[in-house]
Amino acid sequence: MDTIRQLSISPNDGQVVQLAGWIKNIRSQKKFGFIDLQDGTSFTSVQVVFDDELVDFSNIAKYRVGAAIEVQGSIIVTPEAKQAYEIKAMQVTLLGDSLEQYPIQPKRHSREFLRELPHLRVRTNLFTAVFRVRSLTAHAIHRFFQDQGFVHVHTPILTSNDGEGAGEMFRVTTLPLEQVPKTKAGDVDFKQDFFQVATNLTVTGQLHVESYLPAFRNVYTFGPTFRSENSNTKIHAAEFWMIEPEMAFADLQANMDNAEAMIKYVIEYVMTHAPEEMNFFNEYVEPGLVEKLNKVKTKPFAVVRHEEAITLLQQANVTFDHSPVQGGDLATEHEKYLVQHFDGPVYVIDWPKDIKAFYMRLNDDGTTVAAMDLLVPGSGELIGGSQREERLEPLLARMKQMNVPQADLEWYLDLRRYGSVIHSGYGIGFERLVMYLTGVENIRDVIAFPRTVKHLMY
Amino acid sequence: MDTIRQLSISPNDGQVVQLAGWIKNIRSQKKFGFIDLQDGTSFTSVQVVFDDELVDFSNIAKYRVGAAIEVQGSIIVTPEAKQAYEIKAMQVTLLGDSLEQYPIQPKRHSREFLRELPHLRVRTNLFTAVFRVRSLTAHAIHRFFQDQGFVHVHTPILTSNDGEGAGEMFRVTTLPLEQVPKTKAGDVDFKQDFFQVATNLTVTGQLHVESYLPAFRNVYTFGPTFRSENSNTKIHAAEFWMIEPEMAFADLQANMDNAEAMIKYVIEYVMTHAPEEMNFFNEYVEPGLVEKLNKVKTKPFAVVRHEEAITLLQQANVTFDHSPVQGGDLATEHEKYLVQHFDGPVYVIDWPKDIKAFYMRLNDDGTTVAAMDLLVPGSGELIGGSQREERLEPLLARMKQMNVPQADLEWYLDLRRYGSVIHSGYGIGFERLVMYLTGVENIRDVIAFPRTVKHLMY
């Protein structure tokens, strides 16, 4: 069987081909008709011309959108048309009919409407483009790290960690919810649960993956993570994928260099491997997208210390809803101003320790940590990372200050007891990256079956 | 900084190098000593020679196993020794000490002992080798599918599906277990749960991924799956990763061809990219492993119909604990006999419909389905797959027979209503594959932080 992807490389006039695929559109007149055929191998469909020389012309003319067909025909090269070639049908066979009520008709459907059809919406141009780019993005990330010798560690999804404040967690259990067993003291009796311990869905693989550094020097995770946050926004999902690289002998600068190289590599990869899809986004989803990404690919990322960033914001000729405060967090409006000011991605580094996680390395000033957030136009924070606190005593002190229970993390502290070295890492939200690459603004539209608060289908 | 991986390619006598890594072993005498240094870039460590010409010789001699050091020294090529070169130290700096009680000492530790140290065991040769091969295996699988244009679909981890009998499931909830809210009728009030619906951890992504065929023709999933089975065996884990490719216009034969090519590709990939690790397994874990894999790589897989397989077993000159019965399942002892009989991997196909899943395609005989199980020496069933029932009516009939509730799967049935085509797919347990490739016999030893019944650490 031939495929549209193969044929498109160099279509030969007169060549007899056999294709199988799905009808995206069909228009027929008295003596001839046109089918837009999509076969899953290419973003572009091919036009099939059929006429009343075919014995079953009248049947073919009634085939419906969404139906699966097989076509035998010959290539007609059409150098003056938009498409380089079309197929003159010699035979069209129905493989699988499509019922009248097929909801994906060749017209504009709202994204809200399509979200209620997660099993069918991928058959539209937008979602076909999004999910091929999502797949290529995932592969590009693997290639970037594997080519440099990073080892992919599958950190656990189920964990007894409580996430150290990284976010609200889902509980996982086999206890019967109808009647949860209790101890004599009246507490939930987790001894009767599957793992005999309270179990959650992971919010990060970072702590676990750090333990793999002494074997492999450079490692990364790439897996699903979960937050049970009650945030019904365009950028929050309860289930999303995250990439978390971790590098031994790497300081904050090396960390930033790696993340920048990774972003640039991924942009290059998807632009090379999905040019039709990227042009589609550029035309219909985010005008200027390709130019934006080309700029990111070539220009060095800016860097600004958190303190300087706040000063910049305070001196800006802008009225913010939230006044920027030294020592405080950045609001979305602040992030927007900064990426505009720096005209592209910018790292904000050296954050106040009190608003960052316990494991980040304390700077010599005693008040900031060696953290980095990468802000990008459109998506806000795309990457968060830090140099880790490799020294046992400062780490213990920070845990105490931030009420992180030591007993649960003795294993993590062991990593500081046995051959600790300076190391750094970052986390990148995979869906945020796909949104950034495609221009799609709602996270629900870059996840095949999105899970958000009060919403889970199938 | 230099790395052992780089240096090992072509070590130059006299070249001054700088390495950082961890002490695997240290032996010192009065005037000189040896350090086995591992830097995470290579399975092989490098020998560092230090002597009393160094000012702090006596300190260095006391460095402990597990400590992190930096070494400046010159390469001495040693063509007659086992290692091609060693490093004559000019300076050795302690980066991170290792406490006296470091449990990973340079001696043989039992795997049971190491299982209780999931955060440290990767520093042993066995686990360093296993987890690099695991990472390479994952990447090989992605490359195999991506190079053929398959699209990676991230099917959901959280699902309202109940798994259609594929296995016992974990419940995911944010309801307070101390006091689970109930409806007036006394049932658990899932309307108050995070998703407002009873939610489970997935056991398979197959049904979801089938919906992506009409957009991409060939797709695959690669993600974690979960079973809350109370099976405390060497081959069962509660959390494991699975690869599930699905192909449109593919019958059972095409399905088998793809799986066979995939296995052969992966073997070739890990042997090329981890020759030292594979030799280690061959020597210390499964003698004959490399020969076994080379044979699998070159020899076509055998195929036997289930009915023929049972006949073979019944005629075998062997007393089985479980008598093989026409229409019945294969026990482990039967699988072992079959792989011995066929001297390598063998597909058992055309299984009795009553012992297989509802979505498998009914053969024309009306009693068997177009299913395939790949049996391999050592690991039993490595792959399970089938051609799927693409016809709506037979599918509905099978669901009714097997008490699969139709209402929950209307979305899946839609795929048969709108352009259904013949298609096939399979699932491969990722950990089983890693076990097969490494010779490691216990699934707990190929998972970084294994989760099994009554056992979850960190």
Side-chain angles (χ1 to χ4, degrees), chain A residues 161 176 200 237 250 312 319 370 409 420:
Chain A
N161 260 348
N200 300 314
L312 265 173
T319 313
L409 290 178
S420 184

Side-chain angles (χ1 to χ4, degrees), chain B residues 124-290:
Chain B
T124 63
N125 283 337
L126 173 66
F127 290 100
T128 298
V130 164
F131 287 102
R132 189 182 297 276
V133 166
R134 181 179 166 120
S135 169
L136 290 168
T137 304
H139 194 52
I141 290 165
H142 283 300
R143 287 180 64 140
F144 175 79
F145 289 115
Q146 295 266 345
D147 287 353
Q148 294 176 73
F150 280 61
V151 166
H152 180 186
V153 181
H154 298 84
T155 49
I157 312 301
L158 304 178
T159 178
S160 57
N161 260 349
D162 69 359
E164 298 86 43
E168 291 156 81
M169 299 181 87
F170 287 99
R171 174 58 41 93
V172 176
T173 185
T174 57
L175 294 175
L177 297 189
E178 301 73 30
Q179 191 154 16
V180 174
K182 301 278 170 72
T183 62
K184 278 185 186 154
D187 300 322
V188 176
D189 188 5
F190 287 111
K191 282 280 160 219
Q192 296 190 44
D193 208 348
F194 189 84
F195 295 112
Q196 299 190 333
V197 62
T199 303
N200 301 314
L201 288 178
T202 186
V203 296
T204 166
Q206 180 207 315
L207 303 192
H208 293 90
V209 90
E210 279 189 48
S211 68
Y212 269 54
L213 287 181
F216 303 119
R217 192 181 194 108
N218 294 320
V219 293
Y220 71 108
T221 71
F222 191 161
T225 50
F226 304 85
R227 300 276 159 88
S228 63
E229 250 177 293
N230 191 355
S231 300
N232 201 356
T233 77
K234 289 200 287 185
I235 58 167
H236 286 93
E239 173 182 331
F240 57 99
W241 287 61
M242 194 145 69
I243 302 102
E244 296 178 285
E246 193 75 28
M247 294 162 277
F249 311 115
D251 60 12
L252 192 66
Q253 184 61 50
N255 205 22
M256 288 192 284
D257 291 346
N258 183 277
E260 180 172 344
M262 192 269 283
I263 295 287
K264 289 177 173 179
Y265 180 93
V266 170
I267 290 173
E268 175 69 27
Y269 191 88
V270 298
M271 284 182 139
T272 306
H273 287 79
E276 292 172 327
E277 286 84 349
M278 295 309 287
N279 286 336
F280 173 85
F281 297 132
N282 194 53
E283 193 161 346
Y284 297 106
V285 179
E286 182 184 330
L289 175 76
V290 167

Side-chain angles (χ1 to χ4, degrees), chain B residues 31 45 64 67 123 159 179 187 205 242 248 296 345 391 401:
Chain B
K31 291 174 171 297
S45 50
R64 284 184 286 246
R123 305 184 189 192
T159 178
Q179 191 154 16
D187 300 322
M242 194 145 69
V296 172
R391 301 160 299 180
Q401 279 165 27

Side-chain angles (χ1 to χ4, degrees), chain A residues 1-3 20-22 38-41 66-68 95-99 101-103 118-120 122-123 127-128 131-132 134-136 138-139 142-143 146 149-161 169-175 177-178 180 182 188 190 194-197 199 201 208 211-217 222-224 226-230 238-239 241 248-249 411 414-415 417-421 430 448-449 451-458, chain B residues 1-3 20-22 38-41 66-68 95-99 101-103 118-120 122-123 127-128 131-132 134-136 138-139 142-143 146 149-161 169-175 177-178 180 182 188 190 194-197 199 201 208 211-217 222-224 226-230 238-239 241 248-249 411 414-415 417-421 430 448-449 451-458:
Chain A
M1 204 185 289
D2 302 289
T3 66
W22 292 266
Q38 209 269 87
D39 77 349
T41 65
L95 299 178
D97 198 5
S98 178
L99 300 189
Q101 65 265 35
Y102 181 57
H119 61 308
L120 297 176
V122 71
R123 305 185 190 192
F127 289 100
T128 298
F131 287 101
R132 190 182 298 274
R134 181 179 166 119
S135 168
L136 290 168
H139 195 51
H142 283 302
R143 287 180 64 141
Q146 295 266 346
F150 280 61
V151 166
H152 179 187
V153 181
H154 298 84
T155 49
I157 312 301
L158 304 177
T159 178
S160 57
N161 260 348
M169 300 181 85
F170 288 99
R171 175 59 41 93
V172 175
T173 185
T174 55
L175 293 175
L177 297 189
E178 301 72 30
V180 175
K182 301 278 169 73
V188 176
F190 286 111
F194 189 84
F195 296 112
Q196 300 191 333
V197 63
T199 304
L201 288 178
H208 292 90
S211 69
Y212 269 55
L213 286 181
F216 303 120
R217 191 182 195 106
F222 192 161
F226 305 85
R227 300 276 159 89
S228 63
E229 251 178 293
N230 191 354
E239 173 181 331
W241 287 61
F249 312 115
W411 68 273
D414 275 354
L415 309 179
R417 295 180 179 121
Y418 307 124
S420 184
V421 298
F430 180 57
F449 294 83
R451 276 74 177 97
T452 55
V453 60
K454 297 182 190 169
H455 202 275
L456 180 152
M457 290 179 78
Y458 321 143
Chain B
M1 202 186 290
D2 302 289
T3 66
W22 291 266
Q38 210 269 85
D39 77 350
T41 65
L95 299 177
D97 199 5
S98 178
L99 299 188
Q101 65 266 33
Y102 181 56
H119 61 308
L120 298 175
V122 71
R123 305 184 189 192
F127 290 100
T128 298
F131 287 102
R132 189 182 297 276
R134 181 179 166 120
S135 169
L136 290 168
H139 194 52
H142 283 300
R143 287 180 64 140
Q146 295 266 345
F150 280 61
V151 166
H152 180 186
V153 181
H154 298 84
T155 49
I157 312 301
L158 304 178
T159 178
S160 57
N161 260 349
M169 299 181 87
F170 287 99
R171 174 58 41 93
V172 176
T173 185
T174 57
L175 294 175
L177 297 189
E178 301 73 30
V180 174
K182 301 278 170 72
V188 176
F190 287 111
F194 189 84
F195 295 112
Q196 299 190 333
V197 62
T199 303
L201 288 178
H208 293 90
S211 68
Y212 269 54
L213 287 181
F216 303 119
R217 192 181 194 108
F222 191 161
F226 304 85
R227 300 276 159 88
S228 63
E229 250 177 293
N230 191 355
E239 173 182 331
W241 287 61
F249 311 115
W411 67 274
D414 276 354
L415 309 179
R417 296 180 178 120
Y418 307 125
S420 184
V421 300
F430 179 57
F449 294 82
R451 276 73 177 98
T452 54
V453 59
K454 297 182 190 171
H455 202 275
L456 180 152
M457 289 178 78
Y458 321 143

